[in-house]
Amino acid sequence: MSDQEQPQHAVYAGVPTGQVPYSQTAYGQAGHTTAQTPYASAPKRPPLAPRHKRGAAWAGIVGFNLLTLGYSMFVIPIVVGFFGAFFGFVLRQLERSSRGMDSELRSINNFFTALDLGAWLIPGIIASVIGLVIMAVALLLSSVILKAHSVHRAWAVTWAGAGVAVVASWFVSWLPSLLAQLGFGVFGAADVGVWTKVAIAVGIYTLLGIIVNSVMGWLAWWWMAHALRARTPSVVTTGQE
């Protein structure tokens, strides 16, 4: 038999005579493969381990309470100094005007003059600097606690958790002050001194502030630790498409 008379299906490079090549067995008439092919499954994120949850909770509680303390020490002297300088300037302008000041404005002016805001300038600057240091320590402690509990991306969790907690505090920061005012009103009827009532109100406000900040910090840091948790390695399996 000549070469031209040989069957077409019997001549394939590397394929025994009379067999159909792999390209025709692997792909049928429908055009899809039936061969076993390996593939990698998509990475999965497991839930946070108890160790990670504990780390996120303590980092949020400690970190956000220290952040709040540091921010208060930083911003209160600045706000007080700004408003004191502003009202002092306005009162001086009124005193120099032709109309002068009435008795009430004069009393306020005398109060600001006796207060001597200039003497509080250096202590205010020192308090603001200490507040900045406390805020930096808060972020560092949060990162250290998270790393000690093997939380993935400790610094990212710290910054994101702090941002979420700050935004949440805008909506619930009124709660401690409201409850402190209620407590002051309850003790206002009691036969105690004014300073005792003030001390009780400040104590209630401080205690409630710590509780509220602890809850917000815990939830914010846990949320960010959960959102930024690590993925498991890819698993190679086999199957049919």
Side-chain angles (χ1 to χ4, degrees):
M1 181 181 297
S2 63
D3 294 339
Q4 296 180 353
E5 296 177 350
Q6 292 181 0
Q8 294 293 329
H9 68 272
V11 182
Y12 292 99
V15 179
T17 303
Q19 295 186 7
V20 181
Y22 173 78
S23 61
Q24 293 186 4
T25 59
Y27 295 86
Q29 296 296 329
H32 60 83
T33 182
T34 58
Q36 298 286 331
T37 56
Y39 66 92
S41 63
K44 297 180 180 179
R45 287 186 176 184
L48 287 177
R51 175 182 177 85
H52 300 159
K53 293 179 180 179
R54 287 194 302 269
W58 282 113
I61 292 172
V62 174
F64 193 56
N65 275 296
L66 285 178
L67 274 177
T68 303
L69 175 62
Y71 178 77
S72 299
M73 293 184 65
F74 169 73
V75 75
I76 287 177
I78 295 176
V79 173
V80 172
F82 173 78
F83 280 102
F86 174 75
F87 283 113
F89 173 78
V90 172
L91 291 173
R92 285 193 300 270
Q93 296 303 316
L94 288 176
E95 187 178 16
R96 294 173 182 174
S97 65
S98 58
R99 296 179 56 187
M101 294 187 296
D102 55 20
S103 58
E104 293 182 358
L105 289 177
R106 192 173 300 278
S107 299
I108 297 175
N109 187 34
N110 293 335
F111 170 77
F112 277 101
T113 303
L115 190 59
D116 191 10
L117 294 176
W120 292 91
L121 179 61
I122 301 301
I125 294 175
I126 294 174
S128 294
V129 172
I130 293 175
L132 286 175
V133 172
I134 292 176
M135 293 171 68
V137 170
L139 297 174
L140 180 62
L141 277 179
S142 169
S143 177
V144 169
I145 294 173
L146 292 173
K147 289 179 180 178
H149 289 79
S150 303
V151 177
H152 185 58
R153 301 182 63 185
W155 274 111
V157 172
T158 295
W159 285 106
V164 171
V166 168
V167 173
S169 67
W170 297 344
F171 298 95
V172 299
S173 59
W174 54 268
L175 184 60
S177 60
L178 174 62
L179 296 178
Q181 292 177 12
L182 293 176
F184 185 82
V186 170
F187 287 99
D191 188 14
V192 293
V194 175
W195 289 111
T196 302
K197 297 176 183 178
V198 172
I200 292 173
V202 171
I204 293 175
Y205 177 80
T206 302
L207 179 61
L208 292 175
I210 292 174
I211 293 174
V212 171
N213 285 338
S214 298
V215 173
M216 287 190 297
W218 163 46
L219 293 177
W221 262 253
W222 171 84
W223 183 18
M224 292 299 100
H226 178 78
L228 299 174
R229 67 193 186 279
R231 295 181 182 273
T232 57
S234 301
V235 179
V236 177
T237 60
T238 59
Q240 295 184 354
E241 294 184 356

